[in-house]
Amino acid sequence: MKNSFTLFSAFFAACLTSASCTNGASLGDELFEPYKSTELRVPSVPLVVSDPYFSIWSPYDQLTDGTTRHWTNDEKPLDGFLTVDGQTYRWLGSQRTIFQTLAPMADEEPWEALYSRNVQKDGWQQPGYATDDSWRTGRAAWGSDGLSFVRTHWSELNSDLYVRRNVVLTDSDLQEDLYIVYSHDDVFELYLNGTKVADTGETWVDGVQLHLTPELKGLLHAGENIVAAHCHNTTGGAYTDFGLYKDTNKGDKDIQIAEQKSIDVLATNTYYTFVCGPVELDVVFTAPFLMDDYDLLSSPINYISYQVRSTDGQQHEVQLSFSAAKELALNKKSQKTRSELINVGGIDYGKCGTIDQPILAKKGDGICIDWGYLYLPAINGEVSVGDDGALCYVHDFGKTKQASSYLMLGYDEVQDIEYMYKRYKGYWAHEGKVSIFDMFNRMNKEYASIMQRCRDFDKVIYDDALASGNEHYAEILSASYRHVIAAHKLFQDEDGNLLFFSKENNSNGCVNTVDLTYPESPLFLAYNPELQKAQMTSIFDYSLSGRWTKPFAAHDLGTYPIANGQVYGGDMPLEEAGNMLTLAAQICRLDGNTAYVDKYWEVITTWADYLSENGQDPSNQLCTDDFAGHWAHNCNLSIKAIMGIAGYAEMARIKGEQETADKYMERAREMAQKWEEDAREDDHYRLAFDREDTWSQKYNMIWDKLWSLGLFPNDAMQREVKYYLTKQNQYGLPLDCRKDYTKSDWIMWTAGMADSKEDFLQFVEPLYAYMNETPSRVPTSDWYDTKTSSMIGFKARSVVAGHWMRVLVDKLSEK
């Protein structure tokens, strides 16, 4: 059996018979009303989020349209029901499949099929195709070494894989509800007896379930069938696996679907309202990501608050139930788990985790955690364990017209991250002095004040964005905040350094990547520069320690969650040196001193000299936009070098070394003057110095505005902004002239260069339209097509903190 679940209604009924609750005072109505109503249809809605592993989203318009998921798209099912006068309504999650295998995937067994690496002519997918000598037998899955269940190697860039699989079906099989499940990386096409049924474009996903409608099922027949797949690997890892299943879950017809009336997404809270017969249910999902409280910012616990309200003036018997499936503690569904009830300090907890507990044994990009424990406490309700290992919670309100309460859900990773060969827990644990149960107790006792602080912070984020832009900009930032924070891990090292490491989600899984730290900086520079330092200190220390000896900054510190040194295959010399120097300069300007960088002065001087020697006309170097192709003489990369040198000069000025400051600032001005002459092409500036009729976003120029240096002559910045407004597509400004795709973070950096709010908002509106209309229902992809609004790659990445650039511009201008 694959993806096997026990129907929720079975254990729900069992829980109801044994659980009742009268504790938990009603909460204030204001806690269930968002600071502002929002209209943005967020691509994927944050529900329970803490870090890159404990991260659960709803990629649907209605909360009951499907199963909640991790950002990787793995199912992490949460279910919610409200029973009113004996009638049960589902308000969270959806009925899940109970799959019986017809043709297994590689996690069940190493199934065999014919495959070829040669490009095939049309017809290769047909049942009667005669294969030649290029076809051989292989065992699933096909892909890059090190990926799960790969048994046949295939990883070359720009290469193709063709697979023909023979699947035998019976007449009774064809009467069932059938699903094809597939995983792939990158471009993937799937055929049933020669007819294409899936065409994904360039992306990679794990465990997509394709329901075979009657029309698609009609492509199959009793006897032998050919299920064929073609996958093209464009970049990075490669993978192909697929299987066929029947769903044996016939459902529970007595459960109705609650009517969703509204959804509002603010910075720390997601608000829903549902109609359940004569009762309305308000639900608030809260991640207490408060920047002035590191315990809460790093907390592995979220609140789910709920309120029931009679709409007919009568009292009703009301019970709320909630469950969290064992899949929340798994990387692969085939792993064995143990769910149990424990009692700590007089409080019952549902606890679930894998039996093996391979703590910090896995690293990589598209993976989920399989160590540590999920906890659901009996605070305000009763908890139990379902037959399928789910943790269940029930709150029986009895007869009521209006009542409210809350539950908490948490995940203790036991050990969260490894940094320079020492393992650490999250900041909240204070080196193990605070247990997960202590944290539950604190968040229970401080519920009202924490919720109010979260509401206050929602207001700050919304109002600052509204002042800098408009309601659409405020909704973009409100929808982006938890997305950003949940892509990080906050902890403190043995020397007392605060460290805030990003995971490079859905790009390569690197930890603390400098060219993520740079684009996401506006949020942290605007609201808490100490968190910006916490992303940079380890990179400085890596060079200071002598472990990194090159004359520029490292790209990363490893693959999440193992941060023992750079793993990225190619350096980004100008990119990372420029990033670190520029950000360090902004920090020193905010601090009014150079205390943060003084111990690293020799290191940053080396980096500044590298930029001075190599940054005027860059060679063919990797940069943060390396996915777009590598061109020498990159004009935007040259700007980064110039601003890095200027940043070093600024730090020397603040440090009181005026002679050094004058020397490097003069060098920056000299380089900027030559840049303007060499890059100029009539009404705009080129993508590369030697490429005529080209253009690109020059987002690195924003620092010249922020620091009021006037390095780039002839009104270069506004010349570019004016030109960009002529190049926008329906969903935004392309990254450059080569493709229609863009990066949302860089659009907002570029938009920050605009002198007028009117011009700025001309960049905001297409971005809002993209987020509102994209068919790619994932935690917002920062890399997307500006004509189709479809995701190209990347999702759930912290770089969307770059959306705050205009807010940073305005805050710094106030100072």
Side-chain angles (χ1 to χ4, degrees):
M1 299 284 286
K2 178 182 172 65
N3 296 344
S4 178
F5 297 97
T6 300
L7 192 64
F8 178 82
S9 56
F11 67 73
F12 167 64
C15 289
L16 266 184
T17 60
S18 62
S20 64
C21 178
T22 56
N23 61 317
S26 288
L27 313 173
D29 290 350
E30 69 279 359
L31 292 182
F32 296 93
E33 298 175 1
Y35 167 63
K36 293 287 184 181
S37 295
T38 61
E39 299 297 327
L40 177 63
R41 186 229 61 183
V42 181
S44 192
V45 180
L47 299 179
V48 177
V49 292
S50 174
D51 67 7
Y53 287 138
F54 194 34
S55 183
I56 305 172
W57 304 70
S58 174
Y60 312 103
D61 293 342
Q62 306 291 315
L63 193 54
T64 54
D65 278 353
T67 303
T68 53
R69 296 176 180 272
H70 187 257
W71 62 260
T72 58
N73 202 47
D74 281 13
E75 290 187 347
K76 302 295 178 183
L78 302 177
D79 288 285
F81 297 84
L82 193 74
T83 299
V84 180
D85 299 330
Q87 174 62 57
T88 299
Y89 301 84
R90 176 188 283 275
W91 57 268
L92 170 61
S94 67
Q95 177 180 302
R96 300 196 294 282
T97 53
I98 301 178
F99 280 165
Q100 182 173 330
T101 302
L102 298 177
M105 292 181 73
D107 61 341
E108 280 190 84
E109 65 178 67
W111 58 270
E112 294 185 348
L114 290 175
Y115 76 98
S116 176
R117 297 288 308 284
N118 292 354
V119 175
Q120 299 292 311
K121 295 181 180 180
D122 188 44
W124 69 272
Q125 68 275 46
Q126 298 296 332
Y129 181 71
T131 58
D132 59 24
D133 291 342
S134 71
W135 292 81
R136 64 196 68 180
T137 299
R139 302 167 73 221
W142 288 259
S144 303
D145 292 340
L147 296 181
S148 298
F149 309 110
V150 167
R151 299 178 179 94
T152 304
H153 175 81
W154 165 57
S155 64
E156 292 76 12
L157 300 184
N158 294 313
S159 65
D160 293 87
L161 174 74
Y162 298 82
V163 179
R164 289 172 54 87
R165 183 177 188 181
N166 189 29
V167 176
V168 177
L169 299 175
T170 66
D171 286 326
S172 64
D173 291 334
L174 296 173
Q175 302 306 310
E176 301 288 346
D177 206 12
L178 300 183
Y179 285 78
I180 290 278
V181 181
Y182 57 86
S183 301
H184 66 87
D185 185 3
D186 296 291
V187 183
F188 184 78
E189 299 169 326
L190 188 71
Y191 301 83
L192 296 182
N193 287 325
T195 299
K196 185 185 293 186
V197 296
D199 189 348
T200 66
E202 184 175 350
T203 186
W204 66 269
V205 293
D206 182 30
V208 173
Q209 297 180 8
L210 173 63
H211 182 221
L212 298 189
T213 62
E215 180 181 5
L216 294 180
K217 194 162 62 172
L219 299 172
L220 301 171
H221 53 258
E224 294 188 354
N225 297 265
I226 293 296
V227 182
H230 167 224
C231 193
H232 177 79
N233 183 37
T234 57
T235 185
Y239 199 82
T240 295
D241 187 21
F242 54 92
L244 180 64
Y245 303 87
K246 61 181 179 182
D247 180 14
T248 61
N249 188 354
K250 304 306 180 183
D252 189 335
K253 297 179 180 179
D254 294 333
I255 296 178
Q256 297 184 21
I257 302 300
E259 175 192 345
Q260 183 175 306
K261 285 184 64 177
S262 64
I263 173 176
D264 300 283
V265 181
L266 292 171
T268 65
N269 294 288
T270 296
Y271 298 82
Y272 285 96
T273 295
F274 304 92
V275 177
C276 303
V279 169
E280 288 193 353
L281 169 67
D282 303 311
V283 180
V284 186
F285 294 89
T286 305
F289 286 156
L290 299 173
M291 284 203 186
D292 63 349
D293 189 324
Y294 296 153
D295 286 337
L296 293 178
L297 190 69
S298 63
S299 172
I301 299 168
N302 276 204
Y303 295 118
I304 303 176
S305 307
Y306 46 90
Q307 174 176 251
V308 294
R309 295 175 286 108
S310 171
T311 57
D312 62 4
Q314 303 299 310
Q315 288 192 334
H316 297 278
E317 287 279 355
V318 180
Q319 300 90 24
L320 178 136
S321 63
F322 168 87
S323 76
K326 64 182 180 181
E327 282 77 12
L328 272 68
L330 298 176
N331 182 45
K332 292 295 180 182
K333 292 178 181 177
S334 57
Q335 291 177 288
K336 303 300 183 182
T337 60
R338 177 182 292 112
S339 298
E340 59 184 331
L341 289 179
I342 63 173
N343 187 282
V344 179
I347 297 174
D348 288 338
Y349 290 83
K351 176 183 178 182
C352 178
T354 59
I355 292 174
D356 290 342
Q357 286 295 305
I359 296 174
L360 291 175
K362 291 182 176 65
K363 59 182 180 180
D365 190 356
I367 63 173
C368 299
I369 195 167
D370 58 4
W371 67 87
Y373 297 95
L374 176 71
Y375 290 97
L376 179 62
I379 295 174
N380 302 324
E382 296 294 326
V383 296
S384 60
V385 174
D387 291 341
D388 64 353
L391 305 184
C392 316
Y393 170 97
V394 172
H395 184 146
D396 188 350
F397 286 105
K399 274 190 172 292
T400 186
K401 285 186 179 180
Q402 180 170 340
S404 57
S405 193
Y406 61 92
L407 63 90
M408 293 183 284
L409 188 67
Y411 201 103
D412 184 3
E413 296 179 14
V414 182
Q415 296 292 341
D416 296 43
I417 199 160
E418 182 174 306
Y419 171 54
M420 296 306 165
Y421 303 97
K422 182 175 176 61
R423 294 182 171 186
Y424 296 93
K425 290 183 69 68
Y427 182 93
W428 64 272
H430 294 277
E431 301 176 343
K433 297 173 184 176
V434 176
S435 72
I436 187 72
F437 309 109
D438 295 330
M439 199 63 184
F440 272 118
N441 287 333
R442 176 195 166 181
M443 290 185 63
N444 183 37
K445 292 175 182 176
E446 299 179 18
Y447 169 80
S449 64
I450 291 172
M451 287 295 290
Q452 186 59 54
R453 290 166 65 192
C454 287
R455 287 177 56 81
D456 292 344
F457 190 69
D458 289 352
K459 181 178 186 299
V460 169
I461 293 296
Y462 189 98
D463 287 354
D464 284 353
L466 185 63
S468 293
N470 60 8
E471 288 85 355
H472 282 178
Y473 186 49
E475 291 185 13
I476 289 172
L477 298 196
S478 295
S480 301
Y481 181 74
R482 274 173 288 169
H483 174 138
V484 173
I485 304 300
H488 293 85
K489 172 62 64 177
L490 182 70
F491 67 106
Q492 194 170 37
D493 72 8
E494 61 184 353
D495 296 322
N497 293 312
L498 184 70
L499 301 176
F500 192 46
F501 285 2
S502 63
K503 177 178 180 180
E504 196 169 344
N505 290 339
N506 198 228
S507 43
N508 68 4
C510 279
V511 58
N512 206 35
T513 303
V514 174
D515 54 293
L516 264 66
T517 297
Y518 180 72
E520 68 175 291
S521 62
L523 172 63
F524 304 106
L525 291 172
Y527 292 103
N528 188 346
E530 294 305 311
L531 290 172
Q532 187 63 53
K533 295 175 185 176
Q535 297 174 67
M536 299 167 61
T537 297
S538 59
I539 299 296
F540 281 130
D541 284 342
Y542 191 26
S543 284
L544 189 65
S545 71
R547 295 193 63 222
W548 181 260
T549 60
K550 298 180 182 181
F552 44 80
H555 168 271
D556 63 82
L557 287 179
T559 301
Y560 194 91
I562 308 301
N564 292 330
Q566 177 170 313
V567 296
Y568 194 66
D571 295 327
M572 297 186 181
L574 294 175
E575 174 74 38
E576 310 303 19
N579 290 343
M580 290 293 290
L581 286 171
T582 302
L583 295 176
Q586 182 59 63
I587 287 170
C588 291
R589 287 173 60 95
L590 290 169
D591 287 349
N593 59 66
T594 60
Y596 176 62
V597 298
D598 282 345
K599 67 183 288 189
Y600 309 118
W601 196 254
E602 184 177 345
V603 170
I604 65 175
T605 300
T606 299
W607 294 351
D609 288 341
Y610 180 88
L611 296 180
S612 179
E613 294 167 10
N614 299 278
Q616 182 72 71
D617 186 5
S619 59
N620 191 2
Q621 289 196 8
L622 287 173
C623 68
T624 189
D625 301 323
D626 56 351
F627 56 84
H630 311 146
W631 278 15
H633 319 296
N634 185 315
C635 295
N636 192 42
L637 189 57
S638 178
I639 295 173
K640 180 162 290 184
I642 293 167
M643 295 314 307
I645 296 165
Y648 179 76
E650 279 289 278
M651 288 185 281
R653 176 186 63 79
I654 296 169
K655 189 177 175 65
E657 297 184 2
Q658 194 60 47
E659 184 178 346
T660 299
D662 292 344
K663 172 186 173 183
Y664 283 88
M665 190 61 76
E666 181 57 33
R667 174 59 176 153
R669 291 190 183 281
E670 171 190 298
M671 292 173 69
Q673 178 70 42
K674 181 170 175 51
W675 183 96
E676 201 275 337
E677 295 171 358
D678 293 348
R680 178 80 171 269
E681 191 168 77
D682 298 324
D683 58 350
H684 69 282
Y685 298 89
R686 294 175 177 176
L687 165 59
F689 292 117
D690 62 336
R691 304 285 185 120
E692 295 181 357
D693 300 319
T694 62
W695 65 271
S696 65
Q697 292 189 43
K698 309 299 190 305
Y699 50 81
N700 289 314
M701 203 179 285
I702 186 68
W703 301 102
D704 199 21
K705 177 175 184 172
L706 289 170
W707 298 344
S708 301
L709 297 179
L711 293 177
F712 293 89
N714 296 324
D715 203 24
M717 192 180 303
Q718 296 313 308
R719 184 186 301 275
E720 283 289 87
V721 170
K722 183 178 179 181
Y723 184 77
Y724 297 149
L725 290 174
T726 71
K727 293 297 180 180
Q728 292 208 102
N729 291 325
Q730 180 178 357
Y731 297 107
L733 177 68
L735 185 64
D736 58 46
C737 59
R738 292 175 288 183
K739 299 279 188 178
D740 289 326
Y741 59 58
T742 194
K743 293 284 273 77
S744 67
D745 48 335
W746 296 143
I747 287 180
M748 288 293 95
W749 276 55
T750 293
M753 300 192 305
D755 277 346
S756 71
K757 181 182 287 191
E758 180 183 3
D759 285 347
F760 168 69
L761 291 176
Q762 289 189 66
F763 294 101
V764 170
E765 294 306 321
L767 176 59
Y768 184 93
Y770 154 65
M771 292 178 67
N772 198 52
E773 299 172 21
T774 177
S776 304
R777 304 305 297 270
V778 300
T780 304
S781 171
D782 54 284
W783 182 20
Y784 68 92
D785 190 296
T786 60
K787 288 185 175 178
T788 68
S789 76
S790 293
M791 165 187 174
I792 300 296
F794 305 161
K795 59 184 174 181
R797 300 204 319 156
S798 60
V799 299
V800 299
H803 295 169
W804 270 264
M805 180 54 85
R806 188 71 180 197
V807 172
L808 177 63
V809 169
D810 290 346
K811 284 185 175 292
L812 293 182
S813 67
E814 292 171 2
K815 294 182 180 180

